[in-house]
């Protein structure tokens, strides 16, 4: 999958250094994966939920959440936000 934009991964690594390894693992695994649909994505990343058109990935033992839009046909993942639970619960990412 092509990940747009990986800059958000690097910013999140700086903001949450304890989740750095988990973010790297997610990035590397997503980059080499080519799931065809949500069921295939869920088999690769079991801690993934679908909220509307967004995929919500729990990263680092549920320390942070990565919100993305996935286009399976075009093999692209658009990272909308990476948030901790407090920010995620505010729900502003849904707007």
């Amino acid at each position: 999958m092509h990940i747009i934009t990986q800059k958000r991964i690097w910013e999140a690594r700086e903001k949450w250094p304890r989740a750095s390894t988990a973010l790297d693992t997610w990035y590397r695994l997503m980059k080499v994966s080519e799931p065809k649909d949500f069921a295939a994505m869920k088999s690769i990343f079991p801690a993934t939920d679908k909220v509307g058109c967004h995929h919500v990935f729990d990263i680092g033992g549920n320390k942070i959440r990565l919100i993305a839009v996935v286009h399976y046909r075009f093999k692209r993942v658009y990272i909308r936000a990476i948030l901790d639970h407090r920010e995620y619960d505010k729900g502003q990412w849904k707007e």
Side-chain angles (χ1 to χ4, degrees), residues 29-79:
L29 186 55
M30 181 61 78
K31 195 164 176 77
V32 298
S33 300
E34 292 187 2
K36 303 290 185 216
D37 55 22
F38 182 70
M41 180 70 79
K42 189 101 170 141
S43 71
I44 299 167
F45 298 100
T48 305
D49 294 311
K50 194 146 187 209
V51 180
C53 66
H54 297 97
H55 286 56
V56 179
F57 298 89
D58 291 334
I59 306 287
N62 208 15
K63 290 181 180 80
I64 57 175
R65 301 222 172 138
L66 187 148
I67 296 113
V69 174
V70 178
H71 291 282
Y72 295 102
R73 182 175 175 200
F74 301 110
K75 300 178 184 172
R76 296 199 176 175
V77 176
Y78 296 88
I79 299 174

Side-chain angles (χ1 to χ4, degrees), residues 10-21:
W10 313 145
E11 291 169 349
R13 287 177 57 203
E14 289 180 23
K15 190 172 182 179
W16 298 289
R18 289 186 174 176
S20 182
T21 302

